[in-house]
């Protein structure tokens, strides 16, 4: 993965530890700290972010699923810590057919248990949901972090998920409201997922497109990131490229467009 990161000149690398679609957790044996540092230096990667499994649902009301989710997230935090990761990103989860309050109460309790059992310092970063039911707005994530009260928590904003949840980044008024909410997060904003959308606004579909080749467009995405006050959050592209992930020209084009953010935001 470091080789691939070098090919596209990435400063921030996001990866999974183990398969994101099975419950079996078999992370690769991490290289030793010195070897890891050497690999990073050679690749130009400055920050490594781990994405937790897609199977994890921290807001579920199903006890068996919740227990599996807690165990897998705990193991992921440990593996991420061993890799010297800057954080573990996890989706906020959902409850089918339930009211948002019940999902939110379950989520807060689950996060508290995971963090109480975890003895590693690696940040846990909550990502906004693409569904229009729960955890889709920055202020929802901020409220959850406030309630859990643990210094290891942070927030990730995925531009495609905002759009899928019905927040139209292309509209100046919607964007102004959004920027205000993100600014209220302050230093909690740890990460951007910079993705265009293959589905229309409000579709509730987590369906990413290459930036500038989707329904949102590069201008609106760059406008949002530029209008937000915090410039120290890292950014990751989760786009298909030609099928093999972000391409070098996409990374360079977006970095150039975001140039006004200065050196704070690494991509
Ligand atoms: Zn994402």
């Amino acid at each position: 993965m470091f080789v691939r990161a070098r090919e596209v000149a990435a400063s921030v690398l996001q990866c999974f530890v183990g398969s994101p679609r099975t419950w079996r957790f078999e992370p690769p044996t991490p290289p030793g700290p010195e070897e890891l540092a050497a690999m990073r230096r050679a690749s130009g990667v400055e920050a490594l972010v781990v994405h937790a499994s897609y199977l994890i649902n921290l807001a579920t009301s199903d006890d068996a699923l919740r227990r599996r989710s807690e165990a897998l997230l705990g193991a992921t935090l440990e593996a991420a810590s061993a890799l010297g990761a800057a954080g573990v990103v996890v989706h906020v989860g959902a409850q089918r057919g339930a009211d948002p309050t019940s999902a939110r109460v379950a989520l807060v309790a689950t996060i508290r248990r995971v963090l109480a059992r975890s003895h590693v310092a690696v940040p846990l970063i909550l990502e906004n949901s693409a569904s229009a039911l729960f955890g889709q707005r920055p202020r929802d994530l901020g409220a959850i972090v406030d309630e859990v009260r643990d210094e290891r928590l942070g927030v990730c904003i995925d531009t495609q998920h905002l759009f899928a949840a019905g927040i139209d980044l292309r509209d100046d008024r919607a964007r102004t409201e959004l920027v205000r909410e993100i600014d209220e997060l302050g230093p909690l904003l740890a990460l951007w997922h910079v993705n265009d959308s293959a589905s229309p606004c409000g579709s509730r579909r987590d369906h990413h497109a290459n930036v500038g080749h989707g329904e949102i467009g590069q201008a609106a995405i760059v406008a949002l990131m530029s209008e937000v006050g915090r410039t120290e959050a890292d950014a990751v592209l989760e786009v298909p490229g030609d099928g093999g992930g972000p391409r070098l020209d996409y990374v360079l084009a977006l970095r150039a467009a975001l140039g006004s953010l200065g050196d704070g935001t690494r991509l």
Side-chain angles (χ1 to χ4, degrees):
M1 64 190 181
F2 284 103
V3 174
R4 174 83 183 119
R6 188 191 166 90
E7 281 170 5
V8 300
S11 307
V12 184
L13 171 64
Q14 179 175 283
C15 64
F16 293 100
V17 285
S19 164
R21 297 185 198 279
T22 68
W23 286 107
R24 257 202 347 266
F25 188 66
E26 292 166 353
T29 312
E34 279 166 34
E35 196 187 336
L36 193 64
M39 283 161 74
R40 276 198 188 193
R41 264 196 310 277
S43 68
V45 169
E46 294 169 25
L48 183 69
V49 179
V50 169
H51 200 301
S53 165
Y54 294 126
L55 298 178
I56 290 175
N57 187 343
L58 302 178
T60 182
S61 56
D62 173 334
D63 273 349
L65 176 57
R66 177 184 54 74
R67 275 196 294 273
R68 292 179 108 179
S69 298
E70 285 179 15
L72 185 52
L73 184 56
T76 306
L77 284 166
E78 291 221 3
S81 176
L83 285 169
V88 170
V89 194
V90 68
H91 295 171
V92 290
Q95 278 186 19
R96 215 174 282 277
D99 69 299
T101 311
S102 138
R104 185 198 143 99
V105 168
L107 174 67
V108 167
T110 309
I111 295 173
R112 279 195 178 134
R113 266 192 303 274
V114 169
L115 290 176
R117 284 186 201 133
S118 173
H119 301 293
V120 294
V122 61
L124 179 62
I125 304 172
L126 306 178
E127 177 171 356
N128 61 313
S129 167
S131 95
L133 299 173
F134 169 69
Q136 72 273 42
R137 295 203 69 105
R139 65 166 174 253
D140 304 334
L141 301 179
I144 290 158
V145 172
D146 283 349
E147 211 173 322
V148 176
R149 283 174 169 264
D150 189 296
E151 285 176 355
R152 288 169 286 181
L153 285 177
V155 166
C156 168
I157 299 294
D158 186 312
T159 53
Q160 195 277 331
H161 295 184
L162 291 171
F163 192 72
I167 306 167
D168 193 344
L169 319 188
R170 301 164 302 184
D171 177 75
D172 287 347
R173 273 173 54 188
R175 210 173 56 245
T176 302
E177 173 65 25
L178 190 57
V179 168
R180 191 177 307 135
E181 277 184 43
I182 298 176
D183 281 344
E184 276 171 16
L185 294 172
L188 285 180
L189 178 64
L191 189 68
W192 289 98
H193 279 171
V194 190
N195 303 312
D196 212 324
S197 183
S199 301
C201 187
S203 69
R204 301 189 187 186
R205 291 190 61 204
D206 184 345
H207 197 183
H208 299 184
N210 293 316
V211 174
H213 299 260
E215 303 263 343
I216 312 175
Q218 179 169 294
I221 292 172
V222 169
L224 173 69
M225 294 176 70
S226 308
E227 287 161 16
V228 165
R230 179 165 164 80
T231 57
E232 292 83 14
D234 288 328
V236 167
L237 285 163
E238 299 178 309
V239 298
D242 303 317
R247 275 179 11 194
L248 174 64
D249 54 339
Y250 294 161
V251 174
L252 296 180
L254 191 61
R255 194 176 283 152
L258 290 169
S260 60
L261 293 179
D263 295 333
T265 295
R266 297 176 295 189
L267 177 77

